[in-house]
Amino acid sequence: MSIAGACALLDQEAQEVIDRYDLGIETLDLLVPSRAGRRQSKHVKTHLCTNELPAGSFISLGHWMGDLDAYVCSPELAFLQAVHDGDMAAAVYAGYAMTSDYRLDNLAPGGVTGRDAGMRDSRVTHNFFRKLTTA
């Protein structure tokens, strides 16, 4: 999968995405395919990505603005980025949370709680490690 057609949002557009999806963050981290597309502002931080990525690396949010499609990185790609960033303990913690029968919950004792099928709460990804080993 290539991000060759990707472009970074303008600051105001990024703020609209943050508000629309109630992300609870101030800055969007966006991948761009070339150095010319890099920018940084209050609501946008870009990262250069010139590599082909495995199929399934992004999840479509559908059309966002006109014919512009919006995508978010998959849990697997987020995990790989955490590993790349060098915080192995945080990566292992997140990896277990994405593939386990528990989830992180700051309000629960110990910061975790069991997944309850009645709440439509399931593992973020079932094929997490299989995808990692074939990527």
Side-chain angles (χ1 to χ4, degrees), residues 29-31 45-51 53-54 57-58 73-88 90-92 94-95 98 128 132:
D29 286 274
L30 305 171
L31 294 178
K45 181 178 179 184
T46 58
H47 305 274
L48 182 63
C49 178
T50 58
N51 298 334
L53 298 169
S57 293
F58 298 97
C73 69
S74 67
E76 295 84 4
L77 184 58
F79 176 79
L80 290 176
Q81 186 60 47
V83 170
H84 180 267
D85 288 347
D87 188 347
M88 190 57 68
V92 169
M98 287 188 267
F128 186 75
L132 285 177

Side-chain angles (χ1 to χ4, degrees), residues 102-133:
Y102 68 88
R103 64 181 168 81
L104 304 178
D105 184 346
N106 291 338
L107 300 177
V112 297
T113 189
R115 295 195 185 274
D116 181 352
M119 295 183 66
R120 296 179 18 188
D121 186 21
S122 62
R123 294 179 181 115
V124 174
T125 179
H126 295 278
N127 301 315
F128 186 75
F129 291 107
R130 184 171 56 83
K131 285 183 182 181
L132 285 177
T133 57

Side-chain angles (χ1 to χ4, degrees), residues 8-11 14 18 26-32 37-48 85:
L9 298 174
L10 299 174
D11 198 57
I18 291 167
E26 187 170 316
T27 304
L28 286 180
D29 286 274
L30 305 171
L31 294 178
V32 294
R38 296 201 67 185
R39 69 175 66 146
Q40 190 162 341
S41 64
K42 181 177 180 182
H43 302 294
V44 175
K45 181 178 179 184
T46 58
H47 305 274
L48 182 63
D85 288 347

